[in-house]
Structure formats: C-alpha cells, structure tokens
Amino acid sequence: MDIGNTIRELRKKKGLKQNELAQKAHLTQAYLSKIENNSKEATISSLKSIAESLDIPLPILFFRSMTIEDIDPNKREAFEILLPSIKGMVDSFI
C-alpha cells in the first residue's frame, strides 16, 4: 500500500499545498510530510481526517493506495485487467 504518495497526488490534484491540507486535517505539516514520504504510518483517525479534508471517502483513499503487492498472487492477473475500469469509477469521487 502506498498511502503517502496517494495522499500527495490527491492533495496536488485538489490544488492544496502541504501546509493547507495539514491545517484542514488538524495535523502538523511535519506529520503530514512524514505520512506523504511513507516514513510514518498514519493513524486511522489521521487518515480519516485527511480523506475528509480532501473530500473523498476513506475507502477510496485506501483503494487508490493499493499496489500489486497488496493483491493475492493468484488474483493479480484479474486485478490488473480490472484496475483501469475500477480506477475510472474511483476517480469520479475525486
């Protein structure tokens, strides 16, 4: 799961600077920076606050963060086939 890069990508898509998102999510910029750099694991409450501040449902944040390593090896081929369609639907929430 690559939650940090996903948060950074979504933040930039929303036109927010890191300090702006941190403020909206009631986090410090330093903590958000560590989350975005995947050097700190965020708490579920922090992720919920970040998702709300980005105006996206938390499950969408989790789905967007999935990497191929998160998928059972026996299901990876199907996941890769479905991924573009699912990402298109998921992106409609963003």
Side-chain angles (χ1 to χ4, degrees):
M1 194 162 263
D2 192 0
I3 199 100
N5 284 324
T6 302
I7 290 169
R8 180 184 300 113
E9 175 189 326
L10 294 172
R11 172 179 59 77
K12 288 181 177 183
K13 276 187 178 182
K14 299 281 184 170
L16 294 170
K17 294 181 180 174
Q18 195 176 64
N19 64 328
E20 293 171 325
L21 177 57
Q23 187 175 23
K24 284 180 74 170
H26 307 288
L27 305 170
T28 65
Q29 183 177 354
Y31 182 60
L32 179 59
S33 176
K34 288 177 183 178
I35 293 169
E36 286 188 357
N37 290 317
N38 289 314
S39 62
K40 179 93 173 152
E41 257 189 51
T43 64
I44 193 72
S45 62
S46 295
L47 292 174
K48 184 178 178 188
S49 183
I50 290 168
E52 288 172 356
S53 297
L54 291 169
D55 295 320
I56 61 168
L58 184 57
I60 298 300
L61 179 62
F62 286 135
F63 181 81
R64 289 284 311 241
S65 301
M66 288 175 62
T67 63
I68 196 70
E69 291 80 25
D70 297 318
I71 307 302
D72 181 299
N74 296 325
K75 298 177 182 178
R76 288 182 181 171
E77 185 178 346
F79 177 77
E80 289 179 335
I81 292 168
L82 295 172
L83 185 61
S85 298
I86 295 171
K87 269 200 168 188
M89 288 187 316
V90 167
D91 286 349
S92 70
F93 287 96
I94 300 171

